[in-house]
Coordinates of all heavy atoms in Angstrom, one line a residue:
M211 N 11.0 -5.3 13.5 CA 11.0 -6.7 13.1 C 10.0 -7.0 12.1 O 10.1 -8.0 11.3 CB 10.7 -7.5 14.4 CG 11.9 -7.6 15.4 SD 11.4 -8.7 16.8 CE 12.8 -8.7 17.8
F212 N 9.0 -6.2 12.0 CA 7.9 -6.4 11.0 C 8.1 -5.8 9.7 O 7.3 -5.8 8.8 CB 6.5 -5.9 11.6 CG 6.0 -6.8 12.8 CD1 6.4 -6.4 14.1 CD2 5.3 -7.8 12.5 CE1 6.0 -7.3 15.2 CE2 4.8 -8.7 13.6 CZ 5.2 -8.4 14.9
V213 N 9.2 -5.0 9.5 CA 9.5 -4.3 8.3 C 10.1 -5.3 7.3 O 9.5 -5.5 6.2 CB 10.4 -3.1 8.6 CG1 10.8 -2.5 7.2 CG2 9.8 -2.1 9.4
G214 N 11.3 -5.8 7.6 CA 11.9 -6.8 6.7 C 12.7 -6.0 5.7 O 12.7 -4.9 5.6
G215 N 13.4 -6.9 4.9 CA 14.2 -6.3 3.8 C 13.3 -6.1 2.6 O 12.1 -6.1 2.6
S216 N 14.0 -5.9 1.4 CA 13.3 -5.7 0.2 C 12.9 -7.0 -0.4 O 13.5 -8.1 -0.1 CB 14.3 -4.9 -0.8 OG 14.7 -3.7 -0.4
A217 N 11.9 -7.0 -1.3 CA 11.7 -8.2 -2.1 C 12.8 -8.5 -2.9 O 13.5 -7.7 -3.4 CB 10.5 -7.9 -3.0
G218 N 13.2 -9.8 -3.0 CA 14.3 -10.2 -3.7 C 15.6 -10.1 -2.9 O 16.7 -10.3 -3.5
S219 N 15.5 -9.8 -1.6 CA 16.7 -9.8 -0.7 C 16.7 -11.1 0.0 O 15.8 -12.0 -0.1 CB 16.6 -8.6 0.3 OG 15.6 -8.9 1.3
T220 N 17.7 -11.3 0.8 CA 17.7 -12.5 1.6 C 17.0 -12.3 3.0 O 17.0 -13.3 3.8 CB 19.2 -13.0 1.9 OG1 19.9 -11.9 2.6 CG2 19.8 -13.4 0.6
G221 N 16.5 -11.1 3.2 CA 15.8 -10.8 4.5 C 14.5 -11.5 4.5 O 13.9 -12.0 3.6
G222 N 13.9 -11.5 5.9 CA 12.6 -12.2 6.0 C 11.6 -11.2 6.4 O 11.6 -10.1 5.8
S223 N 10.6 -11.5 7.2 CA 9.5 -10.7 7.7 C 8.6 -10.3 6.5 O 8.6 -11.0 5.5 CB 10.0 -9.5 8.4 OG 9.0 -8.9 9.1
I224 N 7.9 -9.1 6.7 CA 6.8 -8.8 5.7 C 7.3 -8.3 4.4 O 6.8 -8.6 3.3 CB 5.9 -7.8 6.3 CG1 5.1 -8.5 7.5 CG2 4.9 -7.2 5.3 CD1 4.2 -7.5 8.3
K225 N 8.5 -7.6 4.4 CA 9.1 -7.0 3.2 C 8.6 -5.5 3.0 O 7.4 -5.3 3.1 CB 8.9 -7.8 1.9 CG 9.5 -9.2 2.0 CD 11.1 -9.2 2.0 CE 11.6 -10.5 1.7 NZ 11.2 -11.6 2.6
V226 N 9.5 -4.7 2.7 CA 9.2 -3.3 2.5 C 8.2 -3.0 1.4 O 7.3 -2.2 1.5 CB 10.5 -2.5 2.2 CG1 10.3 -1.0 1.9 CG2 11.5 -2.6 3.3
V227 N 8.3 -3.8 0.3 CA 7.4 -3.4 -0.8 C 6.0 -3.7 -0.4 O 5.0 -3.1 -0.9 CB 7.8 -4.2 -2.1 CG1 7.5 -5.8 -1.9 CG2 7.2 -3.8 -3.3
R228 N 5.8 -4.7 0.4 CA 4.4 -5.0 0.8 C 3.8 -3.9 1.7 O 2.6 -3.4 1.5 CB 4.3 -6.3 1.6 CG 4.4 -7.5 0.7 CD 4.0 -8.8 1.4 NE 4.1 -9.9 0.6 CZ 5.1 -10.8 0.6 NH1 6.1 -10.5 1.4 NH2 5.2 -11.8 -0.2
H229 N 4.7 -3.3 2.6 CA 4.2 -2.1 3.3 C 3.9 -0.9 2.4 O 2.9 -0.2 2.5 CB 5.4 -1.7 4.3 CG 5.5 -2.6 5.4 ND1 4.7 -2.7 6.5 CD2 6.5 -3.6 5.7 CE1 5.0 -3.6 7.4 NE2 6.2 -4.2 6.8
L230 N 4.8 -0.8 1.4 CA 4.7 0.3 0.4 C 3.3 0.2 -0.4 O 2.5 1.2 -0.5 CB 5.8 0.3 -0.6 CG 5.9 1.5 -1.6 CD1 6.0 2.7 -1.0 CD2 7.1 1.1 -2.6
L231 N 3.0 -1.0 -0.9 CA 1.8 -1.2 -1.7 C 0.6 -1.2 -0.8 O -0.5 -0.7 -1.2 CB 1.9 -2.6 -2.4 CG 2.9 -2.7 -3.4 CD1 2.9 -4.1 -4.1 CD2 2.7 -1.6 -4.6
L232 N 0.7 -1.7 0.5 CA -0.5 -1.6 1.3 C -0.7 -0.1 1.7 O -1.9 0.2 1.8 CB -0.1 -2.4 2.6 CG -1.3 -2.8 3.5 CD1 -2.4 -3.6 2.7 CD2 -0.9 -3.6 4.7
G233 N 0.3 0.7 1.9 CA 0.1 2.1 2.3 C -0.6 2.8 1.1 O -1.5 3.7 1.2
K234 N -0.2 2.5 -0.1 CA -0.8 3.1 -1.3 C -2.2 2.7 -1.5 O -3.1 3.5 -1.9 CB 0.0 2.7 -2.6 CG 1.3 3.4 -2.7 CD 2.0 3.0 -4.0 CE 3.4 3.7 -4.1 NZ 4.0 3.5 -5.4
A235 N -2.5 1.4 -1.2 CA -3.9 0.9 -1.2 C -4.8 1.7 -0.2 O -5.9 2.0 -0.5 CB -4.0 -0.6 -1.0
I236 N -4.3 1.8 1.0 CA -5.1 2.5 2.0 C -5.3 3.9 1.7 O -6.4 4.5 1.8 CB -4.3 2.4 3.4 CG1 -4.2 1.1 3.9 CG2 -5.0 3.4 4.4 CD1 -3.4 0.8 5.1
R237 N -4.2 4.6 1.0 CA -4.4 6.0 0.6 C -5.4 6.1 -0.5 O -6.3 7.0 -0.5 CB -3.1 6.5 0.1 CG -3.1 8.0 -0.3 CD -1.8 8.5 -0.8 NE -1.2 7.7 -2.0 CZ -0.1 7.9 -2.5 NH1 0.8 8.8 -2.0 NH2 0.3 7.2 -3.5
R238 N -5.5 5.1 -1.4 CA -6.5 5.1 -2.4 C -7.9 4.9 -1.9 O -8.8 5.7 -2.4 CB -6.2 3.9 -3.5 CG -7.2 3.9 -4.6 CD -6.9 2.9 -5.6 NE -7.1 1.5 -5.0 CZ -7.0 0.4 -5.8 NH1 -6.7 0.4 -7.1 NH2 -7.1 -0.8 -5.1
E239 N -8.1 4.0 -1.0 CA -9.4 3.8 -0.3 C -9.9 5.1 0.4 O -11.1 5.4 0.3 CB -9.3 2.7 0.6 CG -9.1 1.3 0.0 CD -10.2 1.0 -1.1 OE1 -11.4 1.2 -0.8 OE2 -9.8 0.6 -2.2
I240 N -9.0 5.8 1.0 CA -9.4 7.1 1.7 C -9.8 8.1 0.6 O -10.8 8.8 0.8 CB -8.2 7.7 2.5 CG1 -7.9 6.7 3.7 CG2 -8.5 9.0 3.0 CD1 -6.7 7.1 4.4
R241 N -9.1 8.2 -0.5 CA -9.5 9.1 -1.5 C -10.8 8.7 -2.2 O -11.5 9.6 -2.6 CB -8.4 9.2 -2.6 CG -7.0 9.9 -2.1 CD -6.0 9.9 -3.2 NE -4.8 10.6 -2.8 CZ -3.7 10.8 -3.5 NH1 -3.7 10.2 -4.7 NH2 -2.6 11.4 -3.1
L242 N -11.0 7.4 -2.3 CA -12.3 7.0 -3.0 C -13.5 7.3 -2.2 O -14.6 7.3 -2.7 CB -12.2 5.5 -3.3 CG -11.2 5.1 -4.5 CD1 -11.1 3.6 -4.6 CD2 -11.8 5.7 -5.7
T243 N -13.3 7.4 -0.9 CA -14.4 7.8 -0.1 C -14.9 9.3 -0.4 O -16.1 9.6 -0.2 CB -14.1 7.7 1.5 OG1 -13.1 8.7 1.8 CG2 -13.7 6.3 1.9
V244 N -14.1 10.1 -0.9 CA -14.4 11.5 -1.2 C -14.7 11.5 -2.7 O -15.7 12.2 -3.2 CB -13.1 12.4 -1.0 CG1 -13.5 13.8 -1.4 CG2 -12.8 12.3 0.4
H245 N -14.1 10.7 -3.6 CA -14.3 10.7 -5.0 C -14.6 9.2 -5.4 O -13.8 8.5 -6.1 CB -13.1 11.2 -5.8 CG -12.7 12.5 -5.4 ND1 -13.4 13.7 -5.7 CD2 -11.6 13.0 -4.6 CE1 -12.8 14.8 -5.2 NE2 -11.7 14.3 -4.5
P246 N -15.8 8.7 -5.1 CA -16.1 7.3 -5.4 C -16.1 6.9 -6.8 O -16.0 5.7 -7.1 CB -17.6 7.1 -4.7 CG -18.1 8.5 -4.7 CD -16.9 9.4 -4.5
E247 N -16.3 7.8 -7.8 CA -16.3 7.5 -9.1 C -15.0 7.5 -9.8 O -14.8 7.2 -11.0 CB -17.3 8.4 -9.9 CG -18.7 8.4 -9.3 CD -19.4 7.1 -9.4 OE1 -19.1 6.3 -10.4 OE2 -20.1 6.7 -8.5
A248 N -14.0 8.0 -9.1 CA -12.7 8.1 -9.7 C -12.0 6.8 -9.9 O -12.2 5.7 -9.2 CB -11.7 8.9 -8.8
V249 N -11.2 6.7 -11.0 CA -10.3 5.5 -11.3 C -9.0 5.9 -10.9 O -8.2 6.8 -11.4 CB -10.3 5.3 -12.8 CG1 -9.5 4.1 -13.1 CG2 -11.8 5.0 -13.2
M250 N -8.4 5.1 -9.9 CA -7.1 5.4 -9.3 C -6.2 4.1 -9.3 O -6.2 3.5 -8.2 CB -7.3 6.0 -7.9 CG -8.1 7.3 -7.8 SD -8.3 7.8 -6.1 CE -9.3 9.3 -6.3
P251 N -5.6 3.9 -10.3 CA -4.7 2.7 -10.3 C -3.5 2.8 -9.4 O -3.0 4.0 -9.3 CB -4.3 2.5 -11.8 CG -4.4 3.9 -12.4 CD -5.6 4.5 -11.6

């Protein structure tokens, strides 16, 4: 129920792309703890 459809769909909830970006942001923060000077867009 908390997944939702894609952005630009008629679905509701959080939306898949937000989960995707949030997951990438969390992964970046974990990597930055090991390499704090790295630039990781």
Side-chain angles (χ1 to χ4, degrees):
M211 284 184 182
F212 291 89
V213 176
S216 303
S219 72
T220 57
S223 196
I224 292 176
K225 297 289 194 300
V226 175
V227 72
R228 288 195 178 96
H229 291 286
L230 183 63
L231 293 179
L232 198 59
K234 289 183 176 182
I236 292 172
R237 183 178 62 183
R238 181 179 67 173
E239 291 304 313
I240 293 173
R241 289 180 176 178
L242 286 174
T243 60
V244 180
H245 306 286
E247 303 300 323
V249 177
M250 299 179 182

